[in-house]
Amino acid sequence: MFLPRGPGALCSYRRAGIGQTFAYRFFATRSYEPLRILFCGSDEFSIASLKALHKEQLDRPDRISSIDVVCRPGKRVGRGLKKIREVPIKAAATDLSLPVHEIDTFKGWTPPILPGGPVNLIVAVSFGLFVPPRILNGAKYGGLNVHPSLLPDFRGPAPLHHTLLAGRTRTGVTLQTLDLKNFDHGIILQQTPPPGFEIQNPESCTVPDLLDIVAPKGAEILVDGIQKGLFVPPVEDAGWRLPEESESLIHAAKIKPEDRHINWANWTWLDISRRTRVLGPLWSKALVANDASADLPSLQYRRVIFTEIEEVKPMKGSEAYAIVPGLPFVDGAHPVEPRQGKGVYVFTQDGKLLRINQMKVEGEQNADALRAALKARMIGDRTFSSNGSDYTPFYNPLQ
């Protein structure tokens, strides 16, 4: 098969038996004036791109003449809000001796005028603030963004989390222009060729693991795009997804505390284990005694965080509890003693039995699950017997 070559040539073909369009581009480097870059970033993903740009500046000062860094101000954290947690990219930029501008809004803020002239390219990588049209239009070459997914799939602020939550085994990185109206809707200038690169050990991969994979690849695609001058008008769309694939696209919404709230009626063990791996300890609400020292304490729902859970084999007679997913029980007759070595168990929607080893009841310290449940008087006062085995249920199913 012969493919046309030459500056800006674009060709595609459909691979037999798979029905996926592969786009190939052959570029001659487009000329542009030395870049005065305003780099907007925050985290480790953006730090990798910043370091790569700085190296390119040192290697080719005729290509990149300056880099100024914009980041969000540090936030007060901890007891009494006495400590300030700085955005990670601030330290990285300082180590590279790059000018740093801390802003929490672009309103009323103007990019610096540099010795060579005004900023002529905006680069935003994992920044979090929307770069307004006023700033983009003021830069001769507009703006660039690196996104850790194969856009338009996983548009949004949490692509790494949602890639793993969806159980994807492949992913990629995308270089796009900054859109004047919406996040992640720019023109795709370059992205990982189809079908993307493999995620090693996808069933055990964590967000930091995936970050270690995509961060250097994002930095590479950014520098490559700058070397080729892909941002110089007229820009060409290099996106390779077929229109009919749009129905399967996932929006990578911001991760919220509710995303860790277990839905016992609908989540399988795979859902629970995957979310624990990607998001951290999950939680539910359980009936807890307001005053555990009272003879007749009142009950209220409080949050219970499961800091250590595991799947175990069903026990003799425990299958009756599988009818109500999320109903915790103890493998022992009432009254249950904490020194009996008994455990706290619960069934999932797909009939898998989980043992809760450690949990934290709201307002209390993390502890052995049985001790925590007894201290909060979460366990009922009746014993359920089946096939010669005794089990003591909690007051109500977890919510």
Side-chain angles (χ1 to χ4, degrees):
M1 181 176 190
F2 296 96
L3 299 176
R5 297 179 179 269
L10 174 66
C11 64
S12 65
Y13 70 94
R14 190 173 300 275
R15 189 170 63 179
I18 295 185
Q20 205 168 33
T21 298
F22 286 61
Y24 289 84
R25 289 171 176 267
F26 304 95
F27 288 99
T29 300
R30 300 179 181 180
S31 61
Y32 50 88
E33 65 183 56
L35 297 177
R36 297 176 293 276
I37 296 175
L38 187 69
F39 187 95
C40 308
S42 62
D43 57 14
E44 297 299 326
F45 183 70
S46 51
I47 288 174
S49 291
L50 177 63
K51 289 181 176 180
L53 279 182
H54 180 254
K55 182 179 183 303
E56 180 70 5
Q57 179 190 11
L58 296 178
D59 293 342
R60 293 293 304 270
D62 60 318
R63 183 173 282 157
I64 300 177
S65 64
S66 67
I67 303 174
D68 279 55
V69 177
V70 172
C71 66
R72 308 285 289 276
K75 293 184 178 180
R76 293 189 174 275
V77 297
R79 182 173 296 180
L81 300 178
K82 295 180 180 180
K83 293 183 178 180
I84 296 179
R85 180 183 296 164
E86 301 287 1
V87 179
I89 202 169
K90 180 181 178 180
T94 302
D95 289 343
L96 298 174
S97 299
L98 298 175
V100 177
H101 311 270
E102 294 182 84
I103 63 171
D104 213 15
T105 177
F106 280 103
K107 186 176 181 179
W109 185 81
T110 302
I113 301 298
L114 306 168
V119 166
N120 57 11
L121 179 66
I122 313 295
V123 177
V125 183
S126 191
F127 183 44
L129 283 181
F130 186 77
V131 182
R134 173 179 63 86
I135 302 294
L136 289 176
N137 291 333
K140 179 177 180 179
Y141 300 117
L144 292 177
N145 167 254
V146 181
H147 192 78
S149 80
L150 295 172
L151 291 175
D153 208 10
F154 298 105
R155 279 178 174 145
L160 301 185
H161 295 79
H162 286 278
T163 295
L164 296 177
L165 289 176
R168 296 293 176 85
T169 59
R170 291 180 176 273
T171 188
V173 292
T174 300
L175 178 66
Q176 63 173 335
T177 63
L178 287 175
D179 188 71
L180 294 174
K181 295 182 179 180
N182 299 296
F183 282 108
D184 302 331
H185 280 71
I187 299 172
I188 295 175
L189 303 177
Q190 191 163 253
Q191 63 186 160
T192 305
F197 51 77
E198 290 186 2
I199 299 174
Q200 294 183 353
N201 304 315
E203 291 308 315
S204 62
C205 185
T206 63
V207 171
D209 292 337
L210 187 54
L211 177 62
D212 288 341
I213 298 172
V214 299
K217 292 183 181 295
E220 180 182 354
I221 201 171
L222 172 61
V223 171
D224 185 65
I226 284 180
Q227 291 174 345
K228 293 175 180 176
L230 299 185
F231 52 88
V232 178
V235 298
E236 298 181 46
D237 191 338
W240 50 261
R241 287 192 174 274
L242 297 173
E244 55 265 30
E245 291 181 306
S246 60
E247 295 182 359
S248 62
L249 300 181
I250 294 176
H251 175 63
K254 181 180 179 180
I255 298 299
K256 301 178 181 179
E258 192 64 26
D259 294 319
R260 294 169 46 229
H261 187 178
I262 300 178
N263 184 334
W264 293 101
N266 296 305
W267 287 8
T268 65
W269 166 235
L270 177 60
D271 296 323
I272 292 172
S273 61
R274 184 176 286 168
R275 284 184 181 248
T276 299
R277 168 167 52 88
V278 176
L279 305 180
L282 308 183
W283 59 274
S284 284
K285 289 185 177 180
L287 275 177
V288 174
N290 276 336
D291 184 1
S293 62
D295 292 332
L296 294 173
S298 60
L299 299 175
Q300 72 172 106
Y301 279 102
R302 289 161 69 184
R303 183 173 297 190
V304 178
I305 302 173
F306 306 109
T307 54
E308 184 182 328
I309 56 176
E310 62 176 329
E311 182 191 6
V312 295
K313 293 182 179 180
M315 302 176 297
K316 180 182 178 182
S318 65
E319 293 84 357
Y321 284 90
I323 299 174
V324 185
L327 178 60
F329 61 94
V330 177
D331 56 337
H334 180 81
V336 179
E337 294 294 334
R339 296 181 181 178
Q340 289 179 330
K342 302 299 182 181
V344 176
Y345 300 86
V346 63
F347 277 95
T348 63
Q349 181 271 342
D350 58 338
K352 302 295 184 181
L353 180 62
L354 307 185
R355 178 184 172 108
I356 304 171
N357 295 319
Q358 299 278 324
M359 70 183 190
K360 182 183 184 303
V361 179
E362 185 179 351
E364 304 289 344
Q365 296 293 320
N366 185 52
D368 172 82
L370 181 55
R371 289 181 178 274
L374 290 172
K375 183 177 181 180
R377 290 199 181 183
M378 296 166 61
I379 299 173
D381 57 2
R382 288 187 292 178
T383 299
F384 175 80
S385 298
S386 177
N387 298 327
S389 300
D390 292 329
Y391 301 103
T392 302
F394 282 35
Y395 284 115
N396 277 312
L398 297 166
Q399 295 187 5

